[in-house]
Amino acid sequence: LFQPGKLCLKNISKLNSLMGDPAKELKIIHLAGTNGKGSVSFKIAKTLECSGYTTGLFVSPHISSFRERIQINGKLITEDEVVEHLTKVNALCEENEIPATFFERVTATAFSHFKHSKAEVVVLEAGLGGRLDATNIITPILSIITSIGLDHTKILGETIEAIANEKAGIIKPGVPVIVGKSCPFDQLKRIASSKNSRAIRPEDVEANPYPNPYTMNPDELDYDTENSYTASSSLAYLKTRNILPKINDECILSGVKIRPPCRFEILSVNSGSKKIKVVLDVAHNPIAIEKLVKMLKRKFPGKNFRFMIGMSRDKDIKKILRTVGNEINNSPRGGLHFARAKENVSFDERNYVIEEASLEVKACIRQVLNKTDEENEVVVICGSVFIMCEVRQALGYNEPADSSVIEETVGIKNCATQDN
């Protein structure tokens, strides 16, 4: 059903045109970035909903249900709507011999759904990179680049400069771009200027009700605060420029406090007679892991950490292990466990005592909880978003699930690993 292929805009452009160009009719906020783009998208969408806008949200990948990817005012697209829109997209691909990838077809489905649902604003998260991402056929009202780091280097480039060039592909002529703190601002500013656009630091936006976190002690700054500040600055810009005038300060302050699932999500889990603190986080690259460890130490001073990690093969496992391993080696207790999701997880176990490296997620969680000292340890489950569905189910949470109809139409199963 889905075709492999190099990143390009040819397929999605043709699909969108055959559908009547729904992307052109949408008022879109477009986001890219190595880390934080999903959280910032979520915070912006929640603020816009609060402010009275019918708000579409497109994010990827999903945790438990394919339908999480396409939402209107927090309501997941229904199964009937998926079948309606995606069936039409698939038919257009077959009739016109368009070798569209999974992500291109899903993006086209989202554009169609948002148009038919009369979304007033759409928050659109890029899937991979920016320049050649399937979402990049639109002209937004605002672009946002949350952060730049080394991830997906085989596709996007081996250096920060190369990756920044790819992310900067979402900058459009005459459309301003908010540039997050963890970005090479001067480089992105030059690219924006070449397109007659303006690159704006979050701290340069006027009338932002959210306090500037960069005046704080750096040791007190965490990534959720950075994401909230990037989101609030973007919203304040749209408000003060009268682009989205219904945005109000109260909604900004309440909206940016909200986090999507598995972003430093703290749970209290019963395990026999023990009540164990568990943190779920989709940190899956070295920068995100470093920030996660920093936030853990700040949130749980004096505690030891027992990590359970599941990663896809393309991650810098050695560097991630150094960060996590150093934390464990400095603790009198704690441990490092690796879980195997739907695909085998690659890792480098040299110089580390890995207690179990090949357990399925459910078995790995049982082992972790059994070994955890509830008084002195916090369990940290992190890595690829693709393990989080199995994790949450194993912890007893009732996750949204797709029926066989969705599996047949979309071509994936619940909790399945799907590349963007």
Side-chain angles (χ1 to χ4, degrees):
L1 177 61
F2 306 119
Q3 302 295 320
K6 294 181 180 180
L7 294 175
C8 71
L9 299 180
K10 180 180 177 181
N11 292 337
I12 186 65
S13 296
K14 188 171 182 179
L15 258 179
N16 183 64
S17 177
L18 289 169
M19 292 163 58
D21 201 0
K24 186 177 181 180
E25 300 181 33
L26 300 170
K27 191 176 286 188
I28 294 173
I29 301 165
H30 198 193
L31 297 94
T34 303
N35 294 312
K37 66 183 186 293
S39 291
V40 174
S41 297
F42 194 82
K43 292 170 184 290
I44 289 175
K46 289 301 176 186
T47 300
L48 295 174
E49 292 170 30
C50 172
S51 299
Y53 289 101
T54 301
T55 305
L57 175 64
F58 180 67
V59 292
S60 61
H62 61 273
I63 294 173
S64 302
S65 166
F66 167 82
R67 298 179 297 114
E68 296 167 27
R69 295 171 179 252
I70 305 170
Q71 306 179 28
I72 296 281
N73 284 354
K75 181 182 177 183
L76 309 189
I77 185 172
T78 67
E79 294 199 346
D80 287 344
E81 288 166 334
V82 172
V83 172
E84 176 189 355
H85 295 293
L86 186 53
T87 299
K88 290 177 182 178
V89 168
N90 289 338
L92 286 173
C93 290
E94 299 307 313
E95 292 164 8
N96 297 276
E97 299 183 342
I98 302 172
T101 64
F102 168 79
F103 189 69
E104 288 166 342
R105 296 184 192 219
V106 175
T107 303
T109 298
F111 288 150
S112 178
H113 180 62
F114 293 144
K115 175 188 173 182
H116 284 84
S117 300
K118 296 181 171 55
E120 295 176 275
V121 191
V122 171
V123 183
L124 191 73
E125 179 195 5
L128 178 63
R131 181 175 65 92
L132 297 177
D133 186 75
T135 61
N136 201 33
I137 61 169
I138 52 95
T139 299
I141 57 175
L142 181 68
S143 301
I144 303 168
I145 301 176
T146 56
S147 67
I148 303 292
L150 295 176
D151 200 7
H152 300 291
T153 52
K154 291 182 180 179
I155 299 171
L156 302 179
E158 300 284 343
T159 65
I160 293 293
E161 181 180 12
I163 293 173
N165 281 334
E166 291 298 321
K167 305 288 186 187
I170 72 166
I171 301 173
K172 299 299 194 305
V175 179
V177 56
I178 303 292
V179 178
K181 186 74 170 177
S182 301
C183 292
F185 182 79
D186 290 342
Q187 178 186 352
L188 295 178
K189 181 180 179 181
R190 287 194 299 272
I191 295 171
S193 296
S194 72
K195 298 182 180 183
N196 195 31
S197 176
R198 181 186 172 203
I200 306 165
R201 293 184 176 93
E203 57 266 38
D204 293 334
V205 175
E206 299 176 353
N208 184 356
Y210 193 89
N212 183 350
Y214 304 122
T215 61
M216 298 167 49
N217 183 332
D219 292 335
E220 297 178 358
L221 184 63
D222 63 59
Y223 58 85
D224 186 64
T225 303
E226 288 189 47
N227 290 337
S228 294
Y229 191 55
T230 300
S232 62
S233 297
S234 304
L235 290 156
Y237 181 87
L238 292 167
K239 175 192 173 185
T240 56
R241 294 305 174 106
N242 212 37
I243 299 170
L244 295 177
K246 291 195 294 184
I247 295 172
N248 63 76
D249 288 356
E250 183 179 349
C251 285
I252 291 177
L253 291 174
S254 62
V256 301
K257 287 181 181 178
I258 304 172
R259 295 179 188 173
C262 302
R263 272 72 166 187
F264 210 84
E265 183 178 10
I266 301 174
L267 308 173
S268 186
V269 176
N270 292 317
S271 177
S273 61
K274 297 188 291 186
K275 201 172 194 66
I276 298 172
K277 196 73 72 179
V278 177
V279 176
L280 305 184
D281 198 286
V282 291
H284 60 272
N285 55 49
I287 294 174
I289 292 290
E290 287 172 11
K291 290 187 175 184
L292 170 61
V293 168
K294 182 178 177 182
M295 194 165 175
L296 287 165
K297 292 162 116 176
R298 180 168 164 259
K299 186 74 176 179
F300 303 105
K303 296 288 187 181
N304 300 316
F305 303 108
R306 183 171 291 275
F307 286 85
M308 172 179 154
I309 301 176
M311 295 280 179
S312 53
R313 290 187 179 93
D314 65 333
K315 303 307 173 189
D316 189 345
I317 304 296
K318 292 182 181 180
K319 193 167 184 179
I320 289 168
L321 279 179
R322 281 197 295 271
T323 300
V324 173
N326 288 340
E327 187 59 34
I328 291 170
N329 291 341
N330 290 332
S331 302
R333 288 187 58 85
L336 178 60
H337 305 251
F338 274 83
R340 185 177 72 244
K342 297 297 182 185
E343 292 183 297
N344 289 330
V345 177
S346 62
F347 57 90
D348 185 325
E349 56 187 279
R350 288 177 303 171
N351 304 320
Y352 297 99
V353 179
I354 296 179
E355 302 194 17
E356 188 62 59
S358 61
L359 289 177
E360 296 281 353
V361 167
K362 187 177 290 188
C364 194
I365 286 178
R366 282 198 303 269
Q367 184 192 71
V368 169
L369 295 179
N370 286 339
K371 293 193 174 189
T372 298
D373 176 354
E374 67 175 322
E375 295 295 327
N376 299 305
E377 287 184 285
V378 174
V379 171
V380 184
I381 304 177
C382 61
S384 170
V385 68
F386 300 127
I387 71 165
M388 289 301 171
C389 170
E390 293 177 83
V391 165
R392 292 172 68 88
Q393 288 177 347
L395 292 175
Y397 286 81
N398 186 20
E399 293 295 281
D402 297 322
S403 73
S404 59
V405 173
I406 290 293
E407 292 179 15
E408 292 167 7
T409 306
V410 178
I412 60 176
K413 294 184 178 181
N414 293 318
C415 305
T417 55
Q418 269 291 350
D419 292 335
N420 285 341

